[in-house]
Amino acid sequence: MDITHNHGSRIFVVRACLNDDALDLVAIGGIQAVQVISCTAEECKVVANFHIGAEVTAIAWSPRATSPESSSNSFIELVAAGRDKNIRVLTKLHNDEEKIFNFGGQLTGHQRTINDLTFCGGSDDMGWKYVASVGGTPNILPDDKMLAVWDLYPPSESDRSIRVPSSFTSFQESRLQPTAWTEFFAHPLNTVAFHPQSPSEVIVSDCQGSVFLVDWRTDYDVPGYDRGRNAVVAEFLDPKALGDARIGLSKSWSGSASWKRDDLNVIGASFGDRWCLWDQRQMRGGKPLFTGSGFPGGSYRFRWCPTETNLFATIPLESDEGAVLRIYNTAFLQASPTTLTILPRPHRVSDFDWLGSTIRGTPRVVVAIGQSVCVAAIGENLMYDDEGQ
């Protein structure tokens, strides 16, 4: 490993920022707080601490966040979900203290654990206005099985214009509660993701082996329009995971889906003990174009690399190998994956993400292990197959 940082409590979530002016920022979600660190080539240093008072279950970066390393007028903005089913907007101006705005909760939002979050308004000037959340816990009732898209700055009843904060210091107390568009599914949802080139769509993965492409801006605000109609544009499925689920053998509830950053048509996911790739140009009735073996005990995350876009990685739900990742290259899908061992047994990875910056062109990962995060360069050999081709 290259750099380590001790958070001080067990880490559940780690998310790297991919904004051009904040590629060094990483958010860490622990037992009671969200910590933001700046990861350079030499060190990790804390730039913000948000005490939310609940175990963190999901984090997402705002597209307008900027780093102190890039700007003297830096602005940290992200959202975080807690085990208490609340969502928080976390903000910090360069010359101000940390601020937290709570919304959602059991009465107005999710009824079970919020498993994932993403900003979903695209990369334009409105990208920071909308946040999508998904939730659910298999085999526990009641269960919400819900995708919600939140308008963080809804218009007031007397003024239908968009309320945009001119001063976050004064705006936090007066802002309205966010409003939500919702879509319900047959099973609990694990992950939600958006693509910068598709501001009207998100993909969600469920616990049974399906990924859904959802158009959440489908004219639901037109009078008389059934806002649930035609919201699901396409379904991508893993037949093996669906079959396992029917006979009670599936570990797909740990599944995860992600959009390939440089290709809007390609979607990847892990369900149970294998991964799947779909290409919307070759739908095949929703069946995957490529599949491969993952971790025998199930995979917990599927993440595309933003800098070397042929790479993706997964981490194990259960493993006897220690704190490990498996890294795959779409140019050599028939080759065996490369196992990157961060620490030996009994350590295990609780979460990971790819950093948006490289070291001399080499991609890096940030990995959560216990109370620490480790930043590691993957090595040039991992960009090729085992024979260096």
Side-chain angles (χ1 to χ4, degrees):
M1 69 190 75
D2 298 331
I3 308 170
T4 61
H5 168 76
N6 190 291
H7 173 61
S9 71
R10 183 181 174 188
I11 299 170
F12 300 98
V13 184
V14 60
R15 292 296 286 180
C17 188
L18 299 182
N19 301 348
D20 289 341
D21 293 330
L23 295 176
D24 60 303
L25 295 184
V26 173
I28 301 168
I31 293 176
Q32 296 283 330
V34 173
Q35 188 177 68
V36 178
I37 61 175
S38 171
C39 297
T40 64
E42 296 81 22
E43 64 175 351
C44 293
K45 60 182 179 181
V46 178
V47 295
N49 272 302
F50 300 91
H51 183 82
I52 69 171
E55 178 186 314
V56 180
T57 61
I59 293 173
W61 280 99
S62 165
R64 60 180 177 176
T66 57
S67 169
E69 293 288 323
S70 302
S71 172
S72 58
N73 295 314
S74 63
F75 177 52
I76 292 171
E77 184 178 46
L78 61 163
V79 290
R83 187 68 65 183
D84 59 0
K85 310 176 191 67
N86 282 313
I87 304 174
R88 287 94 168 162
V89 181
L90 313 177
T91 57
K92 185 182 186 303
L93 287 168
H94 68 286
N95 59 352
D96 204 353
E97 63 184 12
E98 292 88 344
K99 297 189 179 299
I100 301 174
F101 177 75
N102 290 285
F103 69 93
Q106 192 166 356
L107 296 179
T108 58
H110 292 277
Q111 301 299 307
R112 288 293 171 186
T113 301
I114 299 171
N115 294 320
D116 202 10
L117 297 165
T118 185
F119 278 82
C120 59
S123 56
D124 58 16
D125 291 340
M126 301 299 290
W128 44 264
K129 191 174 186 293
Y130 300 101
V131 168
S133 61
V134 293
T137 306
N139 304 319
I140 298 179
L141 297 176
D143 208 341
D144 59 26
K145 307 171 185 175
M146 183 178 74
L147 161 69
V149 177
W150 302 86
D151 184 344
L152 297 184
Y153 301 99
S156 66
E157 291 299 322
S158 59
D159 180 6
R160 302 306 294 176
S161 62
I162 297 172
R163 290 168 53 85
V164 180
S166 57
S167 169
F168 276 89
T169 302
S170 61
F171 189 77
Q172 290 292 93
E173 290 77 18
S174 63
R175 66 186 293 179
L176 299 175
Q177 280 286 316
T179 57
W181 171 89
T182 58
E183 181 77 9
F184 292 88
F185 292 80
H187 304 287
L189 303 176
N190 293 331
T191 61
V192 58
F194 93 107
H195 197 285
Q197 299 174 13
S198 183
S200 67
E201 296 174 328
V202 294
I203 56 171
V204 298
S205 64
D206 70 10
C207 67
Q208 296 288 302
S210 293
V211 178
F212 301 92
L213 177 63
V214 181
D215 183 354
W216 64 271
R217 283 183 171 175
T218 308
D219 295 333
Y220 65 88
D221 57 347
V222 175
Y225 183 82
D226 178 3
R227 68 180 185 177
R229 180 166 59 90
N230 296 328
V232 176
V233 176
E235 179 180 359
F236 310 90
L237 51 90
D238 177 9
K240 180 180 182 299
L242 290 173
D244 288 347
R246 291 191 181 98
I247 59 176
L249 296 178
S250 176
K251 290 190 177 180
S252 298
W253 59 267
S254 64
S256 171
S258 180
W259 240 317
K260 195 170 188 285
R261 192 165 178 83
D262 67 339
D263 193 337
L264 184 62
N265 291 295
V266 178
I267 295 170
S270 59
F271 288 108
D273 59 0
R274 75 174 189 167
W275 53 263
C276 303
L277 300 181
W278 296 269
D279 190 325
Q280 296 183 69
R281 293 161 294 204
Q282 304 179 55
M283 281 299 290
R284 296 162 49 93
K287 296 179 181 179
L289 188 62
F290 299 103
T291 63
S293 298
F295 290 96
S299 298
Y300 181 56
R301 285 281 190 252
F302 183 107
R303 300 259 196 248
W304 288 102
C305 177
T307 57
E308 188 70 28
T309 56
N310 283 339
L311 301 181
F312 65 89
T314 64
I315 58 175
L317 179 64
E318 302 171 356
S319 176
D320 294 329
E321 303 176 50
V324 300
L325 298 84
R326 282 188 181 170
I327 301 173
Y328 303 79
N329 191 327
T330 58
F332 308 102
L333 288 176
Q334 302 306 315
S336 298
T338 300
T339 299
L340 179 62
T341 301
I342 307 297
L343 288 171
R345 297 173 59 187
H347 300 282
R348 63 179 298 272
V349 176
S350 57
D351 200 7
F352 89 102
D353 205 356
W354 296 90
L355 287 174
S357 60
T358 63
I359 297 296
R360 295 181 293 277
T362 301
R364 295 190 296 167
V365 289
V366 54
V367 183
I369 304 171
Q371 298 186 10
S372 298
V373 290
C374 307
V375 179
I378 66 166
E380 293 183 2
N381 61 304
L382 299 188
M383 290 182 265
Y384 307 95
D385 64 11
D386 287 346
E387 298 177 358
Q389 299 177 341

